[in-house]
């Protein structure tokens, strides 16, 4: 299998972290690309008509995307138990919350990097950050009992989302008022899988 990826993407990090956690890293060849909303390499478009990463190219079927589809597939392939049926709705909701944090944080990154300064909307940027801040606070206030339990895909997604906030938006200080989540992330970020997949430009 081939994973079309960029090392800075938190969605890619979710997939790579799960590969490490389930012992499948050696089964996947990493295909690095540089992509943005305004520049899509042919290899990405061939695997995903939306032109987004990650995409997983399989030898026995069509390429699959997005990250949540890929992680479900890889978990099923390995029997990893990262989507336990007994708490599946909680896992999926927490993963969706983490993915929404990534969505808003990446839109801020794109606004700052791709738009000329005179066309940037500070109101729009702050609206996106408000989504991030509210979601992070919700995880801190409502989800710590889940995060204290056995590691599942919700844990992985939250860890990758918070890692991206540190990577791109550290000055925003997501930790303020979220001491419990900060403590949890300090421990979770030390896992071998998280260390091996730390984002980089």
């Amino acid at each position: 299998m081939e994973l079309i990826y960029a090392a800075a993407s938190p969605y890619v990090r979710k997939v790579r972290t799960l590969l490490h956690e389930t012992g499948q890293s050696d089964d996947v060849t990493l295909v690095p690309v540089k992509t943005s909303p305004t520049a899509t390499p042919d290899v990405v478009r061939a695997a995903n008509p939306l032109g987004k990463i990650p995409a997983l190219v399989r030898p026995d079927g069509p390429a699959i995307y997005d990250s949540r589809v890929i992680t479900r597939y890889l978990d099923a392939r390995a029997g990893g138990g990262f989507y336990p049926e007994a708490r599946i709705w909680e896992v999926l909701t927490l993963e969706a919350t983490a993915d929404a944090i990534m969505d808003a944080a990446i839109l801020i990154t794109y606004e700052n990097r791709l738009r000329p300064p005179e066309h940037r909307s500070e109101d729009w940027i702050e609206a996106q950050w408000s989504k991030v801040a509210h979601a992070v606070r919700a995880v801190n206030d409502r989800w710590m009992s889940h995060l204290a339990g056995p590691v599942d895909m919700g844990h992985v997604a939250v860890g990758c989302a918070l890692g991206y906030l540190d990577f791109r938006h550290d000055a925003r200080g997501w930790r303020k008022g979220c001491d419990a989540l900060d403590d949890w992330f300090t421990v979770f970020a030390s896992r071998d899988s998280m260390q091996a997949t730390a984002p980089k430009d």
Side-chain angles (χ1 to χ4, degrees), residues 113-168:
R113 287 191 165 196
L114 299 179
R115 285 193 191 276
E118 65 272 17
H119 294 306
R120 291 176 195 155
S121 170
E122 291 303 320
D123 288 344
W124 192 87
I125 289 172
E126 292 308 314
Q128 297 306 314
W129 183 255
S130 178
K131 295 176 184 180
V132 171
H134 280 90
V136 169
R137 177 59 65 90
V139 175
N140 182 82
D141 294 348
R142 305 174 195 170
W143 288 93
M144 294 314 302
S145 61
H146 184 99
L147 292 176
V151 175
D152 56 38
M153 202 59 212
H155 296 69
V156 172
V158 169
C160 292
L162 298 178
Y164 186 78
L165 296 182
D166 281 350
F167 180 54
R168 293 291 192 215

Side-chain angles (χ1 to χ4, degrees), residues 3 25 48 69 74 78 84 95-96 118-119 123 154 156 175 191:
L3 181 67
S25 294
N48 180 352
V69 176
L74 291 172
E95 183 179 12
E118 65 272 17
H119 294 306
D123 288 344
V156 172
R175 290 171 172 80
R191 294 176 73 89

